[in-house]
């Protein structure tokens, strides 16, 4: 009876989510305190019901209950236990249940950690999130029930997609969904503020940590997905501009703009309209990503094959959510006002340019992703928009973004003078050009593209160092006050610096690996050698390896450099028994400075194998940069100002020292 109980719990959850979506919002409108007070207990009940349903589905997997259609399609009795747990989100129905679980988790977190906010505001926030949950629960119950029975039960399951039987896929989907769904909190805050008409600095301060946490999770999820593709797919790339990759990248771009816009709204009272629009857009793009992945319009290793009914339901839900949100925004936005004025040469102007470039970049990615789909839908033929378009357009847009990223922190709020600002920029500019050219010379080849990429990385580094120096040792400051001023830097400001440095590290890794990597496709049999990047690869043997649900041909390849042993690699070519699907398991010998990457292709005549060998300098810096961005986000989210009661912060005066540091 476990599947039936899980199905029943989803119906109860739908009823609770509808009550949460209606009663508190109506109560806030009519000033009915008892109705608004229902928001928090209803959120807790909703989370409990969805969590219980998710646990029951997990139990069905662990018990090998192949009378459940979803379990029979995505598991097998030989599947390792860790992948049985991961298989819960390995297909459409279970991943949708995970999506809802994350949503109700965020909902109950808001209910718990927003007790200092006005009751009417919290009621509207939780009500909006309840309506979103109701939409997805209705979608699940009508078209995507994970507890559907299979009669008669299957003898054994079809196994989890071999692409997903990788450690990266244990963590990648939950982290990605946490980021996707986390933007629903910023969306709910924005809608609640529009309904209540309280778009002030306090609202921005309340919203900012939730948005930062969502951005952290989405950054982690995207980085894990990139790392998984690099290690699992055998092609050696870290990003391919796959439509589903783009679907997660677009909310990240808008979310980045939203974080910066919230900072301006909180500190200066400006960008209010911008901030609300970005909050609505970030979550709308998350819903669009859900539609692309689950509608069947895309062919991708990341996408779920689904029937048209599901695509139509999500599309209708997407239109309702976005349409209603934009209608409310159009009605309320003229009453919000533009906020405080600022000069052309000011930090607000730099952040405005930042937001505009990020928005245009999102539009460029959206166009490249959807344009082929529109042409196909209109019967005008099939085209493919691939990496050349995205690399060119996105690369051109990133140059002004990185330039502003370095200038912005060195510019004063409200108004700055061009002369003093230029004097502050001369030193980092000179060091940037010198370091970029020196790096290219040391690496053995100087090209315009590489110099530009390295200049972006060094510009961020040196501009951040100048900013830090000015904060720690301002004009007239005493050396003995250094530690004191270091302690005065808010965590949000320190987090911003670290996140910006993460962007620089990321740009450095991309520039180096794209320019100086080398690869060879060779035919290798035991005893054969090949040299790539100064390293010699020798195939010692190819042996058969038995896995829990697969059989593999495993190559043993020794690596030497100048005759000295470096290490050994064991790439595999696997055949999964149930689906008879061949999979390439790459092997990587890496350190901080380079990766040696080997993958096995097909076996050819004479017992030889096609082997792809890569030398990838500084490729790990790409993911290291992402980790630094996350660390910066964590510091910003942990800022003390977001852990104190917020009832009177909007108009509270700031100390002189804090004002100078900001």
């Amino acid at each position: 009876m476990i599947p039936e109980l899980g199905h029943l719990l989803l119906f109860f959850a739908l009823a609770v989510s509808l009550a949460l979506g209606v009663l508190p919002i109506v109560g806030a409108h009519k000033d009915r305190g008892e109705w608004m007070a229902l928001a928090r207990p209803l959120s807790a009940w909703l989370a409990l019901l969805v969590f219980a349903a998710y646990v029951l589905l997990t139990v069905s997997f662990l018990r090998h209950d192949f009378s459940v259609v979803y379990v029979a399609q995505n598991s097998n009795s030989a599947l390792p236990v860790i992948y049985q747990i991961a298989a819960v989100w390995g297909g459409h129905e279970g991943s949708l249940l995970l999506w809802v679980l994350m949503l109700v988790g965020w909902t109950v977190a808001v209910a718990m950690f927003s007790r200092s906010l006005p009751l009417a505001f919290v009621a509207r926030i939780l009500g909006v999130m309840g309506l979103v949950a109701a939409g997805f629960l209705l979608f699940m119950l009508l078209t995507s029930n994970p507890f559907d029975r299979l009669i008669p039960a299957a003898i054994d399951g079809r196994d989890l997609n071999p692409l997903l039987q990788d450690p990266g896929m244990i963590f990648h989907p939950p982290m990605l969904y946490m980021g996707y769904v986390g933007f629903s909190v910023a969306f709910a805050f924005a809608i609640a503020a529009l309904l209540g008409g309280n778009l002030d600095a306090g609202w921005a301060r309340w919203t900012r940590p939730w948005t930062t946490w969502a951005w952290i999770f989405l950054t982690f999820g995207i980085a894990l997905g990139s790392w998984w593709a690099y290690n699992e797919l055998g092609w050696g790339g870290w990003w391919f501009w796959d439509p589903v990759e783009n679907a997660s990248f677009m909310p990240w771009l808008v979310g980045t703009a939203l974080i910066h816009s919230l900072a301006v709204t909180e500190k200066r009272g400006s960008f209010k309209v911008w901030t609300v629009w970005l909050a609505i857009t970030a979550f709308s793009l998350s819903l669009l990503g859900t539609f692309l992945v689950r509608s069947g319009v895309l062919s991708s290793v990341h996408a779920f094959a689904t029937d048209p009914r599901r695509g139509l339901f999500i599309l209708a839900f997407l239109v309702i959510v976005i349409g209603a949100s934009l209608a409310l925004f159009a009605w309320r936005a003229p009453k919000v006002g533009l906020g405080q004025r600022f000069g052309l040469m000011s930090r607000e102007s730099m952040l405005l340019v930042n937001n505009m470039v990020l928005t245009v970049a999102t539009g460029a990615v959206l166009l490249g992703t959807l344009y082929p789909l529109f042409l196909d839908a209109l019967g005008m033929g099939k085209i493919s928009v691939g990496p050349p378009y995205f690399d060119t357009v996105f690369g051109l847009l990133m140059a002004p973004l990185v330039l502003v990223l370095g200038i912005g922190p060195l510019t004063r709020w409200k108004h700055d003078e061009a002369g003093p600002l230029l004097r502050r920029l001369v030193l980092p500019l000179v060091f940037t050009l010198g370091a970029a050219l020196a790096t290219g010379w040391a690496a053995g080849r100087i090209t315009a593209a590489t110099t530009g990429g390295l200049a972006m990385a060094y510009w961020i580094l040196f501009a951040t160092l100048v900013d830090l120096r000015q904060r720690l040792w301002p004009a007239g400051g005493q050396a003995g006050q250094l530690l004191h001023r270091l302690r005065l830097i808010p965590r949000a400001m320190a987090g911003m610096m670290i996140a910006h440095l993460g962007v620089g590290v990321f740009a450095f890794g991309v520039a180096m690996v794209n320019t100086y990597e080398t690869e060879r496709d060779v035919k290798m049999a035991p005893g054969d050698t090949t040299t790539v990047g100064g390293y010699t690869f020798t195939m010692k043997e190819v042996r058969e390896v038995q896995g829990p649900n697969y059989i593999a041909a495993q190559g043993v390849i020794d690596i030497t450099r100048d005759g000295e042993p470096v290490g050994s690699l064991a790439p595999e070519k696997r055949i999964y028994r149930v689906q008879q699907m061949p999979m390439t398991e790459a092997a990587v010998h890496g350190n901080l400075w380079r990766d040696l990457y080997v993958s096995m292709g097909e076996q050819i005549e004479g017992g030889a194998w096609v082997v792809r060998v890569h030398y990838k300098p500084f490729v790990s810096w790409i993911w290291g940069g992402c980790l630094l961005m996350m660390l910066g986000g964590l510091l910003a989210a942990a800022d003390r100002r977001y852990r104190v009661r917020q009832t009177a912060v909007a108009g509270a005066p700031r100390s002189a020292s804090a004002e100078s540091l900001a």
Side-chain angles (χ1 to χ4, degrees):
M1 296 295 293
I2 286 178
E4 284 71 27
L5 180 57
H7 195 189
L8 184 62
L9 289 174
L10 292 180
F11 276 106
F12 286 149
L14 175 61
V16 172
S17 66
L18 288 171
L20 175 61
V22 173
L23 294 177
I25 293 178
V26 174
H29 178 67
K30 295 187 174 183
D31 198 23
R32 297 284 297 270
E34 64 277 15
W35 287 17
M36 290 187 283
L38 291 172
R40 286 193 172 92
L42 285 174
S43 299
W45 275 108
L46 178 59
L48 181 63
L49 290 167
V50 174
F51 177 74
Y54 185 86
V55 169
L56 292 178
L57 183 61
T58 304
V59 170
S60 297
F61 272 88
L62 294 175
R63 295 181 61 196
H64 304 304
D65 187 354
F66 299 122
S67 69
V68 178
V69 175
Y70 182 69
V71 177
Q73 290 176 341
N74 294 278
S75 188
N76 183 268
S77 57
L79 189 67
V81 172
I82 188 65
Y83 293 125
Q84 292 176 32
I85 297 173
V88 177
W89 57 77
H92 166 71
E93 292 85 352
S95 65
L96 186 62
L97 181 57
L98 178 66
W99 211 104
V100 177
L101 178 65
M102 299 295 184
L103 177 61
V104 299
W106 280 104
T107 304
V108 79
V110 173
M112 291 174 59
F113 296 108
S114 297
R115 296 191 178 277
S116 61
L117 304 187
L119 179 59
F121 189 47
V122 174
R124 292 188 179 101
I125 294 169
L126 297 179
V128 171
M129 299 186 73
L131 289 175
V132 175
F136 276 96
L137 285 166
L138 188 63
F139 172 44
M140 192 184 310
L141 289 169
L142 291 180
T143 69
S144 310
N145 179 20
F147 295 104
D148 276 344
R149 284 287 195 175
L150 178 64
I151 301 175
I155 297 175
D156 209 338
R158 291 169 52 188
D159 204 7
L160 179 65
N161 185 341
L163 280 169
L164 307 182
Q165 296 184 40
D166 181 86
M169 293 306 292
I170 298 173
F171 305 102
H172 165 55
M175 294 299 101
L176 196 68
Y177 288 179
M178 280 291 284
Y180 261 160
V181 182
F183 284 124
S184 67
V185 180
F187 170 79
F189 269 77
I191 298 300
L194 288 172
L195 290 172
N198 52 346
L199 282 160
D200 54 13
W203 163 78
R205 187 168 300 172
W206 300 330
T207 310
R208 197 172 168 189
W210 297 102
T211 305
T212 303
W213 276 109
W215 182 87
I216 292 167
F217 282 116
L218 188 56
T219 303
F220 192 30
I222 292 173
L224 279 175
S226 169
W227 178 82
W228 165 78
Y230 174 77
N231 286 277
E232 178 69 13
L233 299 184
W235 62 299
W238 57 274
W239 193 261
F240 192 65
W241 295 108
D242 180 278
V244 180
E245 290 178 333
N246 297 346
S248 61
F249 188 45
M250 289 185 289
W252 186 89
L253 289 171
V254 175
T256 304
L258 175 59
I259 290 174
H260 291 85
S261 192
L262 281 166
V264 180
T265 302
E266 175 192 350
K267 293 178 180 296
R268 310 304 302 175
S270 302
F271 290 16
K272 293 179 182 178
V273 174
W274 252 109
T275 304
V276 175
W277 182 82
L278 288 170
I280 294 173
T281 303
F283 184 59
S284 298
L285 288 171
S286 296
L287 293 180
L288 177 63
T290 303
F291 166 72
L292 292 176
V293 172
R294 301 174 187 278
S295 62
V297 301
L298 291 180
S299 176
S300 166
V301 297
H302 306 79
F304 300 104
T306 59
D307 60 64
R309 292 183 306 141
R310 296 172 178 174
L312 288 174
F313 189 103
I314 298 178
L315 183 60
F317 183 59
L318 184 66
V319 170
I320 291 171
V321 171
I322 296 177
S325 303
L326 293 180
L328 178 62
F329 175 72
W331 175 44
R332 287 288 198 179
K335 303 177 184 178
V336 172
L338 298 177
Q340 296 186 18
R341 294 181 177 273
F342 50 87
L344 181 62
M345 191 68 65
S346 65
R347 189 177 298 187
E348 290 94 331
S349 293
M350 296 298 104
L351 289 168
L352 180 60
V353 173
N354 170 85
N355 285 358
M356 292 174 64
V357 174
L358 285 170
T359 303
V360 172
T362 305
V365 176
L366 183 64
L367 177 64
T369 304
L370 297 185
Y371 183 63
L373 303 180
F374 282 133
L375 287 185
D376 188 24
L378 295 174
M380 300 175 65
K382 294 181 179 291
I383 67 168
S384 175
V385 178
Y389 162 81
F390 291 107
D391 289 343
T392 302
V393 174
F394 200 78
L396 291 174
L397 289 171
M398 287 303 99
L401 179 65
V402 170
L403 181 64
V404 170
L405 191 148
I407 297 174
L410 298 176
T411 311
R412 302 186 189 280
W413 290 106
K414 198 170 182 179
H415 179 71
D416 203 348
E417 297 295 335
L421 177 60
L422 288 174
R423 284 193 291 273
R424 292 194 292 270
L425 296 175
V426 167
L427 194 60
L429 182 60
V430 171
F431 275 108
T432 293
L433 294 176
L437 292 171
T439 302
W441 176 81
R445 186 164 76 253
I446 299 177
T447 66
T450 306
T451 302
L454 293 173
M456 291 183 188
Y458 285 124
W459 170 250
I460 296 171
L461 169 64
F462 292 122
T464 302
L465 290 177
V466 170
D467 182 28
L468 181 62
R469 178 188 176 281
Q470 289 184 347
R471 294 176 186 278
L472 296 181
W473 205 335
Q478 298 296 321
Q481 297 178 343
L482 188 66
L483 291 178
H484 173 67
R485 298 194 68 83
L486 183 62
R487 287 194 296 267
L488 284 179
I489 295 180
R491 290 186 182 179
M493 184 62 62
M496 178 207 73
M497 293 181 179
I498 293 175
H500 286 183
L501 287 175
V503 176
V505 170
F506 176 89
F508 183 85
V510 171
M512 293 296 289
V513 74
N514 283 353
T515 303
Y516 301 110
E517 71 172 331
T518 56
E519 68 175 71
R520 290 187 64 189
D521 290 331
V522 296
K523 180 178 71 172
M524 295 187 75
D528 289 345
T529 65
T530 187
T531 300
V532 176
Y535 293 86
T536 301
F537 299 78
T538 304
M539 178 175 278
K540 306 299 290 185
E541 63 173 323
V542 178
R543 59 196 179 196
E544 185 177 291
V545 175
Q546 295 284 344
N549 59 344
Y550 63 84
I551 185 171
Q554 184 185 77
V556 178
I557 298 177
D558 289 345
I559 309 170
T560 60
R561 184 181 179 113
D562 299 328
E564 296 295 325
V566 173
S568 183
L569 293 175
E572 296 180 359
K573 190 70 175 182
R574 294 180 179 177
I575 299 291
Y576 284 80
R577 296 192 183 97
V578 177
Q579 298 192 11
Q580 289 297 300
M581 183 175 177
M583 286 294 303
T584 298
E585 291 291 321
V588 182
H589 185 282
N591 58 32
L592 189 61
W593 315 113
R594 55 95 185 116
D595 273 6
L596 304 176
Y597 182 106
V598 178
S599 60
M600 294 176 62
E602 300 299 324
Q603 187 175 20
I604 54 180
E605 70 279 355
W609 290 80
V610 175
V611 178
R612 176 171 289 180
V613 182
H614 298 257
Y615 167 73
K616 293 181 167 292
F618 294 95
V619 67
S620 61
W621 288 45
I622 293 173
W623 300 293
C626 294
L627 292 177
L628 278 177
M629 293 183 220
M630 290 171 50
L631 176 60
L634 288 169
L635 275 176
D639 194 289
R640 176 182 169 275
R641 292 172 297 171
Y642 305 130
R643 302 197 305 273
V644 297
R645 293 183 63 86
Q646 304 286 349
T647 53
V649 294
R654 306 171 67 194
S655 68
S657 59
E659 183 69 35
S660 64
L661 286 168

